[in-house]
Amino acid sequence: MNQIEHSTKVYPGKKLFELKATHGLPLDVALDHLFAAGASIDWTGFIDCARSNGWYDFRIIALIENSLEDCLIDRDTKLAIVERSKAYIMNTLACAR
């Protein structure tokens, strides 16, 4: 386990999405600052907010993957975030049917 996974500070995914979508804040920049501050991200909130704003799932995952690629965190953490995000999307698709 790494420091990010043990963090007690959770940054709201909805707020992160709004900063990206409304103000154009590059997600990789925001993530670097949040991770450096010891925060983790409410990725389910981010995904739910993006979906409610009409974003397609493939666009959400691409944004998360590309932003994490530029972040200064270890590869295993990046892969874990992407895999959990994909799993959440797939699980919520299955529930919607």
Side-chain angles (χ1 to χ4, degrees):
M1 294 287 163
N2 61 41
Q3 169 185 0
I4 293 170
E5 292 173 349
H6 287 358
S7 174
T8 57
K9 298 181 246 175
V10 178
Y11 195 82
K14 179 179 179 179
K15 186 172 182 178
L16 183 61
F17 177 79
E18 289 171 353
L19 288 170
K20 166 65 179 153
T22 305
H23 302 289
L25 178 66
L27 191 58
D28 59 323
V29 172
L31 293 177
D32 275 337
H33 285 287
L34 290 168
F35 291 152
S40 61
I41 311 299
D42 169 23
W43 288 108
T44 59
F46 182 88
I47 293 166
D48 290 343
C49 191
R51 282 174 158 176
S52 69
N53 279 276
W55 285 36
Y56 292 106
D57 292 338
F58 69 87
R59 181 178 178 196
I60 299 167
I61 290 298
L63 174 65
I64 292 171
E65 286 178 322
N66 293 334
S67 297
L68 288 170
E69 191 63 35
D70 295 335
C71 282
L72 301 173
I73 58 174
D74 64 272
R75 186 177 190 281
D76 290 338
T77 301
K78 293 175 188 182
L79 291 174
I81 292 169
V82 170
E83 290 306 313
R84 286 191 303 254
S85 297
K86 288 179 179 179
Y88 176 74
I89 286 173
M90 294 306 293
N91 286 335
T92 55
L93 283 176
C95 293
R97 292 182 184 174

